Amino acid sequence: MATNGITAALGRWSELLAGLGGLEPAQLNGRHQPCPLCGGRDRYRFDDLAGSGSWFCNQCGGKDQLGGGGTGIDLLMRLRHWSYRQACAAVERYLQLAPGRDEQQRHRPQPMSHPLPAALPAALPAAGLAAGPGMVSGLPNGLPSGLPGHGSRPARQPETPPADAPAPALEQGAIAQWCYRDGAGAQLFWVQRLCLGQGGRKAFLQRVWLAGAWHRPSRRDLFSCEWPVPRPLYGLPALGQRPEAAVLVVEGEATAEAAALLFPELVVISWANGANAIAKTDWRPLAGRPVTLWPDADAPGRKAMVRLGSLLAELGCRLQLVEPPAELPQGWDLADADWSPAEAAQHLRQWAGRLPAAVAANSTAAAKSTGADAIRSAAQAPGPTGQGAAAQAAAGPAAAPFQCLGYDGEASFYRSGRTGQVLRLARSAHTAAHLVALAPLAHWETLYPSRSGVNWPAVASDLYERSIAAGLFSPERIRGRGAWWDEKRPLLHLGDRLITPDGEQPITAPFRSRFVYQHMPRLDGPGDVAPLTTVEAAVIVAIANRFRWEVPASGTLLVGWVVLAPICGALGWRPHLWLTGGAGSGKSAILDRFVTPLLGDFALLVSGSTTEAGLRQSIGSDAMPVVFDEAESNEKGDQQRMQGILALARVASSESGAAMLKGSPSGEVSRYRVRSMFLLSSIATALKQGADQGRFAQLSLRNPADLAKAERASHWAGLDRDLEGQITPELGRRLIARTTGLIGVIRQAAAVFSRAAARHFDSQRLGDQYGTLLAGAWSLLSDVAPTEAEAELCIASHDWESYGQSSEQGDEQRCLQMILQYPARVECADRSVTRTIGELVELAAHQAHDLEIGADLASQTLGRQGLRLEPGQLLVSNTAQPIAQILRETAWSHGWSVLLLRLQGAQRRGPVRFCGAGMITRAVAIPLAVL
């Protein structure tokens, strides 16, 4: 907050904290009481010493929030979670201070609060000056330093000149002068050009208003007095008067005046104090505008403009850099040009058109009739978003070295122009060691100079503000390698390049998208091979069907999965497979010699003891298939590990807005969205839940012992020969080339097959699962999407009975079956016997006969298990421990009552007594006809 803002708030902090901070009057009465920030009993008091809004809390007060005091502005910031700037702005609005004051005062000197050195006021009259309130110390005596860059002399703050102040006189060698004004046109200071000595050496000085006159600096001055930084642009008023005009930046005020005559349709600007003062100038009025940089014809001029281009790119300017021909005299500028406006426009088009690609990012030179049109051609080109900023960063010095993507919680996200990757920086990580990973040290030294090198707190503060301005950033917008569907167009991200409908381009080239495709390790991809034809693709189908499947349709499903796996990120539903079979059945041959060559480097190959966390972190933001061999779950630990992997596959199936959230000990939350298709292989599956069975198609291989040894050897000899000769990496690349070229067709085919399969299976889940796989297989045999009739005919040509049976049971039916199949111990008259609960229900209902167990004994045994038989119904207790023990290793061990209510005809029953168990509980009544 400005000094007069703090002054205005003095004595009004009780009102401000109540109105802006929401505190009650009782919390501002000076008594010990609970802290409004951290609670407690009597740790806080508001004492408002000298009207400053001071307060104290022995728990959370103080600078480090470990106990101590604070000011009113500090308490307001913490109550509202505001930054210092936000809190100051809110106080100024509340106090109805002058609106837009910050903008009005941007280029005006501010009052200085440092005291004068004791010896200085006495020395000023000797210089013909009086000590004023704008004097600060720069002497090396421990006093605060004044304006930067004034050496050992104290710096005096200039004053704002009166509106009617006349221009300073041209005297003592001054031959020309130019006025610097604020955005409203009011004069601020003048720059005069001097011609010194007989050789006419060029020099410049600033004339600022001081002590009622235009002060002329002299070596005899005991102080220095220049306009404070950041200084305004020369030509600033025209920027506001012509907001749509393109901008031309030149070196020097005289060059700017000459260029304005040559390019009347442009706003021509310059800056004060030459090439070394670029970082001391306020360039923010150029933000977002098309800008052409025209250096003098010498190396220092070009170097200065390149350096300026890097700064302007940070402001979102669309840049061109003029390259004057080498044959021009050294130091030539536009003030030396003897051109008409038409000739000037022609030269601009020609010289900007020869702009090296390594200097500016968005340079285009179109053949237009005026210089303004030549610049505006760059402005009218689609501005880069997401990918475009990275392209600017890769383009060279005139481009931004990084892009601020936004913030999420306590972290900010940036995309490095040098690496093309997204960098997440926590608020506490905005330090020198991390920030030099965003941009070279020279970049920060140019924009945030300080006496010690770089003003890192200022860098961090500006980056915070830029993150807030960019808005919330969702890490889910980051996309890694794989195929994607982006705004109704297919994309293939190969790590260091993108393949789009318009062709191949580097990952850092401009690309309009709301997603961020970050640079990652390179994938070979399909390369430049020719896509498979339908005739050539039929070989893949034929070989897949030659494996010895329990169900013939399994070959078609395997082919569909192999086709879809490389483009899984572009699908709305991602089906998974589980391949099972005994030793010698051919599982390894399918994975190693069929699936892996066809997928190439488009797969994550894992096996054995792989965990869910390892998979999730390895996949990251990629859309890559996972091939998991030896996915066994024999031991209890393996079973738990596999259930975690199945949960990951379950989330990966559908393209929804949901994400996986993982916490960390530091309190940060990581979000994951997995878009992979899984192929698991083992002797037996670990699918326990109905939700998993509906997402995995189970492909079973026959027992090799079913064939005679000679027949089996002959079968594998022929299949081995075809796998070796036909299924090659070259065929895999051509298959991927075909698939990626048909992404749009495959998506249409998946929609048609899913509808047809849903009607066939009477289940939308099974329709999505098998319909999508059939769409992948269909794409090998046709280049167009099928009709509804063709899809139904294709489905009818396969036997799906086993697939429907394995997946159509819901969790409620499987839960009931597990209860009924549990073996219960029955104490008979002379011995103990074992019967399943289902058998006991039949005995108690007189639907079966047993020589050792009668109906009454069956009912008593059921009662001890939390079950009771009534006419036409089986009552299942909601809380019986024996039932919980039966279901202890399932997902239903704590909620079976809710699940069983889904059964047809099931009803809730009030308190029921279960004889033998000695308990009265609520229950679920299940019709016996359902059992």
Side-chain angles (χ1 to χ4, degrees):
M1 187 186 298
T3 304
N4 64 342
I6 293 180
T7 303
L10 290 176
R12 300 186 64 178
W13 279 110
S14 295
E15 175 189 352
L16 289 166
L17 292 171
L20 297 176
L23 295 185
E24 299 294 333
Q27 295 173 302
L28 301 168
N29 59 12
R31 297 179 180 176
H32 286 274
Q33 56 187 294
C35 178
L37 297 171
C38 65
R41 295 184 57 188
D42 59 355
R43 60 179 60 159
Y44 156 86
R45 73 176 183 274
F46 177 77
D47 46 24
D48 196 21
L49 296 176
S52 65
S54 59
W55 59 286
F56 180 88
C57 176
N58 60 20
Q59 184 71 22
C60 71
K63 180 179 179 180
D64 298 324
Q65 300 185 17
L66 298 176
T71 63
I73 194 70
D74 174 53
L75 181 57
L76 181 60
M77 290 166 57
R78 294 179 59 185
L79 285 169
R80 298 299 303 271
H81 303 287
W82 280 340
S83 67
Y84 181 75
R85 180 179 297 180
Q86 290 173 314
C88 292
V91 169
E92 289 183 343
R93 287 193 300 269
Y94 187 92
L95 298 178
Q96 298 182 352
L97 300 182
R101 178 183 174 280
D102 287 344
E103 187 67 25
Q104 294 172 6
Q105 299 297 324
R106 175 186 292 179
H107 300 122
R108 297 180 181 273
Q110 302 300 315
M112 307 297 287
S113 58
H114 303 305
L116 288 170
L120 190 59
L124 289 176
L129 294 172
M135 186 78 71
V136 297
S137 172
L139 299 174
N141 59 356
L143 292 175
S145 63
L147 299 177
H150 293 285
S152 62
R153 289 190 297 169
R156 188 171 182 186
Q157 189 85 307
E159 304 167 7
T160 302
D164 57 352
L170 290 173
E171 56 188 3
Q172 301 183 36
I175 59 174
Q177 62 182 356
W178 301 272
C179 184
Y180 280 75
R181 303 178 183 274
D182 63 15
Q187 60 179 339
L188 300 177
F189 65 95
W190 290 74
V191 170
Q192 292 185 338
R193 176 177 176 176
L194 308 180
C195 186
L196 303 178
Q198 295 181 353
R201 183 171 58 86
K202 182 170 61 175
F204 296 87
L205 58 80
Q206 282 190 22
R207 302 292 300 271
V208 298
W209 191 263
L210 194 64
W214 292 108
H215 173 65
R216 190 180 192 283
S218 169
R219 294 179 182 177
R220 294 185 297 272
D221 289 344
L222 299 178
F223 60 89
S224 64
C225 187
E226 293 183 354
W227 199 260
V229 296
R231 301 185 181 108
L233 294 166
Y234 182 71
L236 178 62
L239 288 172
Q241 296 164 4
R242 301 166 63 187
E244 302 300 324
V247 179
L248 178 65
V249 182
V250 298
E251 293 186 68
E253 299 86 356
T255 306
E257 294 294 332
L261 300 176
L262 295 175
F263 302 99
E265 296 189 25
L266 305 181
V267 174
V268 182
I269 64 168
S270 186
W271 71 95
N273 290 51
N276 293 329
I278 287 176
K280 299 179 180 180
T281 304
D282 184 5
W283 297 99
R284 287 176 292 178
L286 299 186
R289 297 183 71 151
V291 177
T292 290
L293 308 175
W294 194 312
D296 293 349
D298 52 31
R302 187 182 184 281
K303 182 179 179 181
M305 286 299 187
V306 168
R307 184 179 170 202
L308 174 58
S310 178
L311 190 151
L312 294 181
E314 292 281 328
L315 299 175
C317 298
R318 298 182 289 280
L319 301 170
Q320 291 189 115
L321 178 63
V322 174
E323 290 279 10
E327 59 267 20
L328 289 175
Q330 186 75 4
W332 182 95
D333 58 34
L334 285 172
D336 302 318
D338 185 16
W339 300 332
S340 67
E343 291 172 331
Q346 177 67 20
H347 288 300
L348 174 60
R349 288 194 297 271
Q350 291 176 348
W351 297 350
R354 298 209 304 262
L355 174 66
V359 175
N362 296 321
S363 61
T364 54
K368 300 290 183 177
S369 60
T370 66
D373 292 332
I375 296 178
R376 195 173 290 108
S377 63
Q380 293 172 345
T385 60
Q387 290 298 109
Q392 290 178 351
F402 65 92
Q403 178 194 10
C404 181
L405 300 175
Y407 69 96
D408 181 34
E410 293 296 315
S412 297
F413 291 83
Y414 308 94
R415 182 189 172 103
S416 170
R418 294 181 290 174
T419 66
Q421 294 189 327
V422 175
L423 181 65
R424 178 187 181 276
L425 286 184
R427 185 167 296 178
S428 59
H430 283 69
T431 59
H434 293 92
L435 293 177
V436 293
L438 281 181
L441 182 61
H443 171 84
W444 303 117
E445 289 175 337
T446 299
L447 299 183
Y448 301 91
S450 73
R451 294 181 178 179
S452 60
V454 179
N455 187 348
W456 294 113
V459 175
S461 176
D462 279 5
L463 289 178
Y464 296 155
E465 294 298 327
R466 289 175 57 186
S467 297
I468 294 172
L472 285 169
F473 176 77
S474 172
E476 298 165 16
R477 289 170 49 196
I478 302 173
R479 285 183 167 182
R481 299 167 298 177
W484 303 95
W485 191 253
D486 188 329
E487 296 181 0
K488 301 183 179 179
R489 59 185 172 180
L491 299 175
L492 188 61
H493 180 359
L494 298 178
D496 61 346
R497 62 204 187 280
L498 286 177
I499 298 178
T500 72
D502 299 325
E504 183 176 312
Q505 65 181 62
I507 193 67
T508 52
F511 184 73
R512 182 177 293 277
S513 174
R514 67 177 296 268
F515 298 101
V516 178
Y517 296 90
Q518 67 173 340
H519 194 183
M520 303 189 72
R522 175 188 175 92
L523 295 178
D524 292 335
D528 55 358
V529 299
L532 284 180
T533 65
T534 54
V535 175
E536 294 168 327
V539 174
I540 299 175
V541 179
I543 292 179
N545 286 324
R546 290 174 58 189
F547 292 102
R548 301 190 67 250
W549 302 107
E550 288 281 0
V551 180
S554 298
T556 301
L557 298 181
L558 176 64
V559 167
W561 190 92
V562 170
V563 170
L564 297 176
I567 63 166
C568 55
L571 301 177
W573 179 267
R574 287 174 278 274
H576 312 306
L577 298 185
W578 200 310
L579 178 65
T580 64
S585 60
K587 298 193 307 296
S588 297
I590 291 176
L591 294 184
D592 299 339
R593 304 184 61 189
F594 184 81
V595 174
T596 301
L598 293 179
L599 295 182
D601 53 2
F602 272 85
L604 177 61
L605 307 177
V606 298
S607 65
S609 300
T610 301
T611 64
E612 178 270 342
L615 273 179
R616 171 168 38 83
Q617 294 170 14
S618 297
I619 295 170
S621 58
D622 288 344
M624 303 283 282
V626 176
V627 180
F628 195 145
D629 195 9
E630 304 294 339
E632 308 293 349
S633 54
N634 300 322
E635 304 297 332
K636 185 173 182 180
D638 293 333
Q639 295 173 9
Q640 296 175 346
R641 177 176 54 82
M642 287 307 303
Q643 290 306 309
I645 293 172
L646 292 178
L648 187 67
R650 195 183 312 140
V651 173
S653 293
S654 59
E655 184 67 21
S656 67
M660 295 181 64
L661 304 181
K662 298 287 184 178
S664 67
S666 63
E668 297 181 355
V669 177
S670 298
R671 294 176 173 84
Y672 298 90
R673 290 192 65 185
V674 182
R675 298 177 177 88
S676 296
M677 287 172 56
F678 287 72
L679 170 56
L680 279 67
S681 173
S682 63
I683 295 176
T685 73
L687 301 175
K688 295 182 178 181
Q689 300 187 37
D692 293 331
Q693 292 187 347
R695 289 171 168 81
F696 277 84
Q698 301 177 48
L699 312 184
S700 298
L701 291 163
R702 292 182 182 178
N703 189 335
D706 292 347
L707 282 179
K709 184 176 181 180
E711 184 180 358
R712 184 167 68 246
S714 174
H715 168 78
W716 278 109
L719 185 56
D720 179 78
R721 182 175 55 254
D722 290 340
L723 287 172
E724 184 70 24
Q726 301 289 342
I727 307 301
T728 63
E730 175 72 11
L731 183 72
R733 287 193 294 272
R734 297 186 63 193
L735 172 61
I736 294 174
R738 175 181 176 84
T739 304
T740 55
L742 293 176
I743 290 178
V745 173
I746 292 174
R747 286 172 56 90
Q748 296 175 22
V752 175
F753 270 107
S754 295
R755 290 193 297 268
R759 292 192 295 269
H760 179 86
F761 292 107
D762 194 24
S763 167
Q764 186 59 55
R765 173 66 57 80
L766 297 183
D768 291 336
Q769 175 73 9
Y770 295 105
T772 305
L773 289 170
L774 287 172
W778 173 272
S779 70
L780 287 185
L781 306 176
S782 176
D783 296 334
V784 296
T787 63
E788 295 282 348
E790 289 173 329
E792 291 178 354
L793 181 62
C794 181
I795 293 173
S797 65
H798 293 82
D799 179 10
W800 300 100
E801 181 178 359
S802 61
Y803 287 111
Q805 290 176 352
S806 65
S807 302
E808 65 188 1
Q809 275 194 340
D811 282 346
E812 62 274 14
Q813 294 173 319
R814 297 172 62 235
C815 177
L816 178 61
Q817 288 184 8
M818 178 165 283
I819 295 173
L820 295 177
Q821 294 170 7
Y822 182 77
R825 186 182 183 88
V826 183
E827 300 292 338
C828 298
D830 55 349
R831 66 191 184 101
S832 298
V833 298
T834 300
R835 298 289 187 272
T836 66
I837 288 179
E839 291 173 325
L840 294 177
V841 171
E842 291 179 343
L843 291 172
H846 302 282
Q847 295 177 354
H849 179 69
D850 191 303
L851 294 177
E852 298 182 284
I853 303 174
D856 291 342
L857 181 58
S859 296
Q860 293 174 8
T861 305
L862 290 174
R864 286 192 289 271
Q865 300 295 330
L867 302 167
R868 173 175 170 174
L869 195 70
E870 290 190 352
Q873 293 180 322
L874 174 65
L875 274 60
V876 182
S877 168
N878 290 357
T879 59
Q881 285 301 314
I883 297 179
Q885 186 67 17
I886 294 172
L887 303 175
R888 65 185 180 279
E889 294 184 358
T890 71
W892 319 308
S893 58
H894 298 289
W896 67 81
S897 60
V898 176
L899 200 64
L900 296 177
L901 280 171
R902 300 178 189 171
L903 293 167
Q904 185 177 3
Q907 298 176 344
R908 291 185 176 89
R909 289 289 299 271
V912 176
R913 180 176 181 81
F914 290 87
C915 297
M919 60 182 177
I920 299 177
T921 69
R922 297 183 182 275
V924 177
I926 303 172
L928 292 180
V930 176
L931 306 185

